[in-house]
Amino acid sequence: MESAFPLMAALASALVPFFLLGGELDASQLLSAGRLRRTAGRIVRLLGRAGRAWPLSRLLELGVVRRAVGELTGSAVARDLGLDAYAASATLACAVLLVTIAAGLALWSAVAGVACGVGSVALVVARDASRRQRAKREVAMAMPGIYRTLSVALGSGQTLSQAVAYVSAHERGPAAGIFARMSLRLRCGVSTEDAVGQLAEELEVSGADLLAAALVISHRTGSPLRDLLMRSARLAERQGEFERLLAVKTAQVRLSVKIVCLLPVVMVGALAVISPDFQSGLLTPVGMGCVLLAAGLDALALVLIRRLVRAVI
């Protein structure tokens, strides 16, 4: 099994660019040759069997992996090849393995290869966290408009399902997709309480529980709750203003936290890649102990900064 990993990594690396660019390529032209289609199908089946193995199947329990797998399986080429979630997770794992092997061979150092592999994973995690944070800000900014749209829809006599569909049709950004999924759940027979509960979980903003309670009350009593929703819209706008003011006031502290957290990690990673002396020292017990001690001090500094921020706020 160990000898198959490099081969799978090479095959996966050939497929990843096509999956990532699937929205820009014509899948019928890309897979027009029957031999290429059959070969790609065998690769996908091999990756699918590997992805169902215990170490790789557990990767799907991680949120960042699930979102990356969703991007891969959503491309046109992936759909034509029949790429499922297990094959996609194996593709990602093999791509990271390929980066590690290639960097290790290019730099002729196992430490440098591992550092490059860990760095590639860190970049994926950071990109996912940035996208989630940006989507959360967009949803928070859209909440006042959502409250007002719901107030107008429910006040005009529409049912909860119709009001949710109205919001999904008139809003933009991530919030529109969240309400579109709730509308689909209601049309598919999901209970109102469950659909509203999932809505509150997906919004991930303050006031989502209040919105969920208001929608349930409106559904049970038939009251449009126009005044409550309009007042919630005004409060959401004020909260947005306070959050922007707080972001300005704490910009220096947040920059300090980023520097404290990232600078030691970046320095260790860079030295592990470019410095042979650091690589040889890192493999010794003293070197590993020093790195672990530095990581512990870094974590302690982060905890202290968070406590100071909480005390100020």
Side-chain angles (χ1 to χ4, degrees):
M1 187 65 181
E2 289 79 2
S3 61
F5 280 146
L7 177 60
M8 291 169 57
L11 296 176
S13 65
L15 289 176
V16 168
F18 297 115
F19 294 146
L20 296 178
L21 299 176
E24 302 177 2
L25 297 177
D26 189 352
S28 61
Q29 295 178 1
L30 181 64
L31 302 175
S32 58
R35 180 176 300 178
L36 179 59
R37 182 183 292 273
R38 289 192 297 271
T39 303
R42 294 191 186 99
I43 295 173
V44 170
R45 288 192 294 271
L46 178 63
L47 291 173
R49 287 195 295 268
R52 287 178 173 81
W54 177 78
L56 295 180
S57 63
R58 298 296 297 272
L59 291 176
L60 292 174
E61 298 178 3
L62 302 176
V64 59
V65 176
R66 286 198 303 270
R67 288 184 288 272
V69 165
E71 292 184 8
L72 287 179
T73 55
S75 63
V77 177
R79 290 193 296 268
D80 287 345
L81 291 175
L83 189 78
D84 59 1
Y86 293 103
S89 64
T91 301
L92 293 174
C94 290
V96 173
L97 180 61
L98 176 67
V99 170
T100 303
I101 295 174
L105 292 177
L107 300 173
W108 205 247
S109 172
V111 176
V114 172
C116 292
V118 173
S120 62
V121 174
L123 288 177
V124 173
V125 174
R127 173 177 174 269
D128 179 75
S130 177
R131 293 180 62 180
R132 290 192 64 192
Q133 190 67 24
R134 183 170 61 253
K136 187 176 179 180
R137 288 196 300 267
E138 292 178 1
V139 172
M141 292 175 61
M143 287 306 295
I146 290 174
Y147 284 121
R148 291 190 174 91
T149 305
L150 283 173
S151 176
V152 172
L154 294 174
S156 62
Q158 293 184 355
T159 62
L160 178 60
S161 179
Q162 293 173 340
V164 170
Y166 183 80
V167 171
S168 64
H170 288 78
E171 291 296 329
R172 296 292 182 269
I178 294 174
F179 278 88
R181 288 192 291 271
M182 179 182 176
S183 177
L184 181 60
R185 294 189 190 102
L186 292 174
R187 283 182 292 179
C188 291
V190 178
S191 64
T192 302
E193 288 75 9
D194 293 339
V196 170
Q198 294 181 18
L199 172 69
E201 293 178 358
E202 293 182 1
L203 286 176
E204 294 183 350
V205 294
S206 59
D209 294 334
L210 172 63
L211 176 61
L215 293 178
V216 171
I217 293 173
S218 177
H219 174 71
R220 291 181 177 179
T221 63
S223 173
L225 302 178
R226 183 182 181 87
D227 295 337
L228 175 61
L229 293 174
M230 294 300 293
R231 180 174 176 80
S232 299
R234 292 191 294 270
L235 291 176
E237 289 178 344
R238 293 184 60 187
Q239 181 180 2
E241 295 175 357
F242 290 148
E243 289 179 351
R244 287 189 291 271
L245 179 61
L246 181 63
V248 174
K249 297 295 185 181
T250 59
Q252 184 176 359
V253 175
R254 289 185 287 108
L255 180 60
S256 301
V257 171
K258 291 180 181 179
I259 293 175
V260 169
C261 294
L262 294 180
L263 186 59
V265 176
V266 172
M267 290 181 61
V268 170
L271 290 175
V273 171
I274 64 177
S275 175
D277 294 335
F278 186 83
Q279 295 168 8
S280 59
L282 189 61
L283 296 177
T284 62
V286 176
M288 292 296 296
C290 292
V291 171
L292 292 177
L293 178 61
L297 293 176
D298 192 23
L300 179 62
L302 179 61
V303 171
L304 293 176
I305 291 176
R306 284 190 174 181
R307 288 187 177 181
L308 292 175
V309 171
R310 290 178 182 175
V312 172
I313 297 176

mmCIF file of all heavy atoms in Angstrom, residues 18 27-28 39 42 45 69 122 133 137 140 145 152 154 167 170 172 210 213 216 229 242 274 280 288 291 311:
data_model
loop_
_atom_site.group_PDB
_atom_site.id
_atom_site.type_symbol
_atom_site.label_atom_id
_atom_site.label_comp_id
_atom_site.label_asym_id
_atom_site.label_seq_id
_atom_site.Cartn_x
_atom_site.Cartn_y
_atom_site.Cartn_z
ATOM 1 N N PHE A 18 -7.584 20.128 -13.453
ATOM 2 C CA PHE A 18 -8.793 20.039 -14.253
ATOM 3 C C PHE A 18 -10.036 20.237 -13.396
ATOM 4 O O PHE A 18 -11.017 20.841 -13.807
ATOM 5 C CB PHE A 18 -8.851 18.693 -14.974
ATOM 6 C CG PHE A 18 -7.735 18.495 -15.955
ATOM 7 C CD1 PHE A 18 -6.790 17.507 -15.755
ATOM 8 C CD2 PHE A 18 -7.608 19.311 -17.067
ATOM 9 C CE1 PHE A 18 -5.753 17.334 -16.651
ATOM 10 C CE2 PHE A 18 -6.569 19.139 -17.963
ATOM 11 C CZ PHE A 18 -5.637 18.145 -17.759
ATOM 12 N N ALA A 27 -16.044 20.137 -20.587
ATOM 13 C CA ALA A 27 -15.773 18.768 -20.151
ATOM 14 C C ALA A 27 -15.899 17.781 -21.308
ATOM 15 O O ALA A 27 -15.168 16.784 -21.365
ATOM 16 C CB ALA A 27 -16.746 18.377 -19.026
ATOM 17 N N SER A 28 -16.802 18.028 -22.248
ATOM 18 C CA SER A 28 -16.971 17.111 -23.370
ATOM 19 C C SER A 28 -15.732 17.111 -24.260
ATOM 20 O O SER A 28 -15.324 16.070 -24.779
ATOM 21 C CB SER A 28 -18.207 17.511 -24.173
ATOM 22 O OG SER A 28 -18.063 18.830 -24.694
ATOM 23 N N THR A 39 -9.197 5.866 -18.687
ATOM 24 C CA THR A 39 -8.088 6.011 -17.742
ATOM 25 C C THR A 39 -8.491 6.880 -16.555
ATOM 26 O O THR A 39 -8.185 6.559 -15.402
ATOM 27 C CB THR A 39 -6.878 6.628 -18.454
ATOM 28 O OG1 THR A 39 -6.520 5.812 -19.575
ATOM 29 C CG2 THR A 39 -5.697 6.737 -17.501
ATOM 30 N N ARG A 42 -10.673 4.928 -14.212
ATOM 31 C CA ARG A 42 -9.916 4.006 -13.347
ATOM 32 C C ARG A 42 -9.236 4.766 -12.212
ATOM 33 O O ARG A 42 -9.196 4.282 -11.073
ATOM 34 C CB ARG A 42 -8.874 3.262 -14.181
ATOM 35 C CG ARG A 42 -9.461 2.312 -15.231
ATOM 36 C CD ARG A 42 -8.379 1.432 -15.810
ATOM 37 N NE ARG A 42 -8.897 0.631 -16.912
ATOM 38 C CZ ARG A 42 -8.737 0.934 -18.197
ATOM 39 N NH1 ARG A 42 -8.060 2.036 -18.537
ATOM 40 N NH2 ARG A 42 -9.229 0.156 -19.147
ATOM 41 N N ARG A 45 -11.843 5.627 -9.630
ATOM 42 C CA ARG A 45 -12.227 4.459 -8.831
ATOM 43 C C ARG A 45 -11.131 4.092 -7.837
ATOM 44 O O ARG A 45 -11.419 3.717 -6.692
ATOM 45 C CB ARG A 45 -12.532 3.283 -9.752
ATOM 46 C CG ARG A 45 -13.844 3.428 -10.522
ATOM 47 C CD ARG A 45 -14.239 2.127 -11.180
ATOM 48 N NE ARG A 45 -13.295 1.742 -12.226
ATOM 49 C CZ ARG A 45 -13.400 2.126 -13.497
ATOM 50 N NH1 ARG A 45 -14.410 2.901 -13.870
ATOM 51 N NH2 ARG A 45 -12.518 1.729 -14.400
ATOM 52 N N VAL A 69 -13.879 19.575 -0.582
ATOM 53 C CA VAL A 69 -14.430 18.472 -1.373
ATOM 54 C C VAL A 69 -15.655 18.938 -2.151
ATOM 55 O O VAL A 69 -15.867 18.543 -3.308
ATOM 56 C CB VAL A 69 -14.773 17.285 -0.444
ATOM 57 C CG1 VAL A 69 -15.679 16.280 -1.141
ATOM 58 C CG2 VAL A 69 -13.492 16.598 0.012
ATOM 59 N N ALA A 122 -1.688 24.600 5.605
ATOM 60 C CA ALA A 122 -1.989 25.840 6.331
ATOM 61 C C ALA A 122 -2.571 26.897 5.400
ATOM 62 O O ALA A 122 -3.478 27.650 5.792
ATOM 63 C CB ALA A 122 -0.728 26.364 7.011
ATOM 64 N N GLN A 133 -14.994 33.964 7.017
ATOM 65 C CA GLN A 133 -15.113 35.241 7.712
ATOM 66 C C GLN A 133 -15.723 36.297 6.810
ATOM 67 O O GLN A 133 -16.557 37.105 7.254
ATOM 68 C CB GLN A 133 -13.735 35.682 8.206
ATOM 69 C CG GLN A 133 -13.757 36.870 9.137
ATOM 70 C CD GLN A 133 -14.426 36.570 10.474
ATOM 71 O OE1 GLN A 133 -14.480 35.419 10.887
ATOM 72 N NE2 GLN A 133 -14.919 37.599 11.140
ATOM 73 N N ARG A 137 -19.301 38.260 7.363
ATOM 74 C CA ARG A 137 -19.482 39.716 7.351
ATOM 75 C C ARG A 137 -20.554 40.125 6.344
ATOM 76 O O ARG A 137 -21.346 41.041 6.616
ATOM 77 C CB ARG A 137 -18.151 40.399 7.018
ATOM 78 C CG ARG A 137 -17.124 40.345 8.125
ATOM 79 C CD ARG A 137 -16.021 41.357 7.869
ATOM 80 N NE ARG A 137 -15.350 41.100 6.604
ATOM 81 C CZ ARG A 137 -14.258 40.359 6.468
ATOM 82 N NH1 ARG A 137 -13.715 39.785 7.538
ATOM 83 N NH2 ARG A 137 -13.699 40.196 5.292
ATOM 84 N N ALA A 140 -23.893 39.419 7.890
ATOM 85 C CA ALA A 140 -24.207 40.397 8.938
ATOM 86 C C ALA A 140 -24.626 41.734 8.332
ATOM 87 O O ALA A 140 -25.550 42.400 8.833
ATOM 88 C CB ALA A 140 -23.007 40.574 9.856
ATOM 89 N N GLY A 145 -31.500 44.442 5.876
ATOM 90 C CA GLY A 145 -32.366 44.303 4.713
ATOM 91 C C GLY A 145 -33.229 43.059 4.774
ATOM 92 O O GLY A 145 -34.383 43.068 4.326
ATOM 93 N N VAL A 152 -41.993 43.129 5.249
ATOM 94 C CA VAL A 152 -42.884 43.473 4.142
ATOM 95 C C VAL A 152 -43.616 42.240 3.632
ATOM 96 O O VAL A 152 -44.830 42.274 3.374
ATOM 97 C CB VAL A 152 -42.073 44.142 3.012
ATOM 98 C CG1 VAL A 152 -42.940 44.322 1.768
ATOM 99 C CG2 VAL A 152 -41.524 45.478 3.474
ATOM 100 N N LEU A 154 -44.239 39.250 5.202
ATOM 101 C CA LEU A 154 -45.225 38.726 6.150
ATOM 102 C C LEU A 154 -46.366 39.707 6.358
ATOM 103 O O LEU A 154 -47.523 39.298 6.572
ATOM 104 C CB LEU A 154 -44.536 38.418 7.481
ATOM 105 C CG LEU A 154 -43.494 37.283 7.449
ATOM 106 C CD1 LEU A 154 -42.787 37.173 8.795
ATOM 107 C CD2 LEU A 154 -44.148 35.955 7.087
ATOM 108 N N VAL A 167 -37.463 36.428 0.171
ATOM 109 C CA VAL A 167 -36.167 36.932 0.623
ATOM 110 C C VAL A 167 -35.040 36.359 -0.236
ATOM 111 O O VAL A 167 -34.127 37.082 -0.655
ATOM 112 C CB VAL A 167 -35.945 36.582 2.108
ATOM 113 C CG1 VAL A 167 -34.516 36.915 2.534
ATOM 114 C CG2 VAL A 167 -36.929 37.336 2.982
ATOM 115 N N HIS A 170 -34.849 38.212 -3.565
ATOM 116 C CA HIS A 170 -34.545 39.638 -3.603
ATOM 117 C C HIS A 170 -33.228 40.000 -2.909
ATOM 118 O O HIS A 170 -32.779 41.139 -3.036
ATOM 119 C CB HIS A 170 -35.685 40.440 -2.956
ATOM 120 C CG HIS A 170 -36.930 40.481 -3.788
ATOM 121 N ND1 HIS A 170 -37.815 39.420 -3.851
ATOM 122 C CD2 HIS A 170 -37.431 41.446 -4.613
ATOM 123 C CE1 HIS A 170 -38.824 39.743 -4.663
ATOM 124 N NE2 HIS A 170 -38.610 40.949 -5.134
ATOM 125 N N ARG A 172 -29.007 39.228 -2.114
ATOM 126 C CA ARG A 172 -27.823 38.812 -2.849
ATOM 127 C C ARG A 172 -26.777 38.298 -1.864
ATOM 128 O O ARG A 172 -26.836 38.577 -0.686
ATOM 129 C CB ARG A 172 -27.234 39.992 -3.653
ATOM 130 C CG ARG A 172 -28.154 40.508 -4.732
ATOM 131 C CD ARG A 172 -28.338 39.493 -5.847
ATOM 132 N NE ARG A 172 -29.186 39.996 -6.912
ATOM 133 C CZ ARG A 172 -30.493 39.840 -6.952
ATOM 134 N NH1 ARG A 172 -31.111 39.198 -5.956
ATOM 135 N NH2 ARG A 172 -31.193 40.319 -7.960
ATOM 136 N N LEU A 210 -33.021 35.172 17.577
ATOM 137 C CA LEU A 210 -34.205 36.029 17.651
ATOM 138 C C LEU A 210 -35.023 35.927 16.376
ATOM 139 O O LEU A 210 -36.258 35.846 16.411
ATOM 140 C CB LEU A 210 -33.776 37.474 17.887
ATOM 141 C CG LEU A 210 -34.882 38.532 17.811
ATOM 142 C CD1 LEU A 210 -35.927 38.295 18.892
ATOM 143 C CD2 LEU A 210 -34.298 39.938 17.926
ATOM 144 N N ALA A 213 -36.856 32.606 16.396
ATOM 145 C CA ALA A 213 -38.021 32.618 17.282
ATOM 146 C C ALA A 213 -39.162 33.439 16.683
ATOM 147 O O ALA A 213 -40.338 33.047 16.766
ATOM 148 C CB ALA A 213 -37.622 33.173 18.647
ATOM 149 N N VAL A 216 -40.914 31.406 13.927
ATOM 150 C CA VAL A 216 -41.748 30.332 14.477
ATOM 151 C C VAL A 216 -43.031 30.905 15.068
ATOM 152 O O VAL A 216 -44.128 30.371 14.869
ATOM 153 C CB VAL A 216 -40.957 29.532 15.530
ATOM 154 C CG1 VAL A 216 -41.878 28.552 16.255
ATOM 155 C CG2 VAL A 216 -39.809 28.780 14.880
ATOM 156 N N LEU A 229 -39.861 43.049 13.615
ATOM 157 C CA LEU A 229 -38.857 42.883 12.570
ATOM 158 C C LEU A 229 -38.238 44.225 12.166
ATOM 159 O O LEU A 229 -37.023 44.301 11.913
ATOM 160 C CB LEU A 229 -39.477 42.192 11.356
ATOM 161 C CG LEU A 229 -39.894 40.731 11.572
ATOM 162 C CD1 LEU A 229 -40.618 40.188 10.351
ATOM 163 C CD2 LEU A 229 -38.678 39.860 11.890
ATOM 164 N N PHE A 242 -21.459 49.648 15.517
ATOM 165 C CA PHE A 242 -20.605 49.417 16.682
ATOM 166 C C PHE A 242 -19.467 48.444 16.354
ATOM 167 O O PHE A 242 -18.330 48.630 16.816
ATOM 168 C CB PHE A 242 -21.431 48.874 17.844
ATOM 169 C CG PHE A 242 -22.373 49.886 18.438
ATOM 170 C CD1 PHE A 242 -23.593 49.499 18.973
ATOM 171 C CD2 PHE A 242 -22.051 51.233 18.457
ATOM 172 C CE1 PHE A 242 -24.462 50.438 19.505
ATOM 173 C CE2 PHE A 242 -22.909 52.174 18.998
ATOM 174 C CZ PHE A 242 -24.127 51.769 19.521
ATOM 175 N N ILE A 274 15.046 26.419 3.882
ATOM 176 C CA ILE A 274 16.222 26.977 3.203
ATOM 177 C C ILE A 274 17.536 26.732 3.940
ATOM 178 O O ILE A 274 18.602 26.890 3.345
ATOM 179 C CB ILE A 274 16.054 28.499 2.982
ATOM 180 C CG1 ILE A 274 15.982 29.226 4.340
ATOM 181 C CG2 ILE A 274 14.811 28.785 2.165
ATOM 182 C CD1 ILE A 274 15.881 30.740 4.211
ATOM 183 N N SER A 280 19.207 20.054 10.196
ATOM 184 C CA SER A 280 19.920 19.050 10.990
ATOM 185 C C SER A 280 19.714 19.281 12.487
ATOM 186 O O SER A 280 19.584 18.328 13.259
ATOM 187 C CB SER A 280 21.414 19.081 10.648
ATOM 188 O OG SER A 280 21.960 20.374 10.915
ATOM 189 N N MET A 288 14.106 19.905 18.715
ATOM 190 C CA MET A 288 12.664 19.711 18.829
ATOM 191 C C MET A 288 12.130 20.311 20.120
ATOM 192 O O MET A 288 11.057 20.909 20.151
ATOM 193 C CB MET A 288 12.337 18.224 18.771
ATOM 194 C CG MET A 288 12.584 17.577 17.419
ATOM 195 S SD MET A 288 11.502 18.261 16.139
ATOM 196 C CE MET A 288 9.906 17.750 16.766
ATOM 197 N N VAL A 291 11.839 24.094 19.702
ATOM 198 C CA VAL A 291 10.688 24.466 18.880
ATOM 199 C C VAL A 291 9.392 24.306 19.671
ATOM 200 O O VAL A 291 8.502 25.164 19.611
ATOM 201 C CB VAL A 291 10.665 23.622 17.590
ATOM 202 C CG1 VAL A 291 9.364 23.836 16.827
ATOM 203 C CG2 VAL A 291 11.852 23.974 16.710
ATOM 204 N N ALA A 311 -10.628 42.150 28.666
ATOM 205 C CA ALA A 311 -10.716 43.083 29.794
ATOM 206 C C ALA A 311 -10.998 44.503 29.308
ATOM 207 O O ALA A 311 -11.770 45.267 29.942
ATOM 208 C CB ALA A 311 -9.428 43.059 30.600
#
